[in-house]
Structure formats: structure tokens, C-alpha cells
Amino acid sequence: MEAFEIQTTFPVSAMELYLAWLDSKVHSAMTGTQAEIDPSPEGGFSIFGGYITGKNVELIPGERIVQRWRTTEFPINSPDSVLKVIFEEMGKATKMIIRHTKIPEGQAKDYRQGWKEFYFRPMKAYFGK
């Protein structure tokens, strides 16, 4: 199993980022792709047209989201990975930390790049408006 941590900062509150992550409409708008999200504990989600699926494990408003997370590229017998999205408010901005663990061998490098390309970049544009 593989793991990594990456982070970036957005010019919005921690609560705004937290709510955006769990709102189907806003998540779709900030990533530019289809997202269907049940924002409740144990609620499921499907993002990027079903490429990413999973369930919420822990939801602490404005602080942390923990999810069971997998893509269609995971081996069929592979367990879900664990995604922790941590929000640390810093004045008028928020540092968002992605801790992604239990990734199938050989896939972490691609997902690390994917977070930057398919989340951080479009989110910077979305929240920079």
C-alpha cells in the first residue's frame, strides 16, 4: 500500500471549503466535472462520472472530512483507500491538506498528480473568482 500528503491554500474560510466539498452542485462547479454526493455520515459519493466512488467515514464541519475512496483503476480485490481532507484556517485563507493512504501499489504517483491537476488547479480558479 502507498500513501502521500499534499497541501495548498485557498482564499476562503475552512467552512466554505468543507461545505463545497460535500455539495454536489458546488463540487461539480469547482472541479468542472459531475459529482453526486450525499453529505451525511456514511453517505456515498460518485465523482468524475463514476471514476471515483466511496463513502463518508467522518465529518467534522470546517475541520475534517474522512472518506473511503476508490477509482475504477483499483484492482477489484483491493480495499478502499482512505482520504483525509483537513482544513486549517489561516486568517482570511485556509490550508487544505490531502492525506491519501492505503493506495494500491504503483498508483500513488498518479493520484498525487491528479489531486494537483484535477482538484487544486480548478479549485484555485473557482475560488479566485
Side-chain angles (χ1 to χ4, degrees), residues 78-124:
S78 178
D80 293 344
S81 66
V82 175
L83 177 69
K84 291 183 181 175
V85 186
I86 300 158
F87 307 101
E88 292 182 2
E89 209 155 279
M90 307 165 59
K92 293 184 179 180
T94 300
K95 178 170 34 173
M96 185 175 81
I97 302 163
I98 300 284
R99 287 190 186 137
H100 202 162
T101 61
K102 298 186 179 180
I103 300 167
E105 288 296 324
Q107 294 188 5
K109 182 180 174 190
D110 290 339
Y111 294 127
R112 181 185 187 95
Q113 184 58 36
W115 283 111
K116 293 176 185 175
E117 187 176 336
F118 300 111
Y119 272 85
F120 291 178
R121 188 179 301 143
M123 286 174 71
K124 292 264 187 196

Side-chain angles (χ1 to χ4, degrees), residues 31-57:
T31 61
T33 184
Q34 179 188 1
E36 295 177 21
I37 302 164
D38 175 347
S40 64
E42 288 302 310
F45 59 87
S46 174
I47 302 167
F48 287 89
Y51 173 72
I52 301 168
T53 57
K55 286 199 178 294
N56 297 321
V57 175

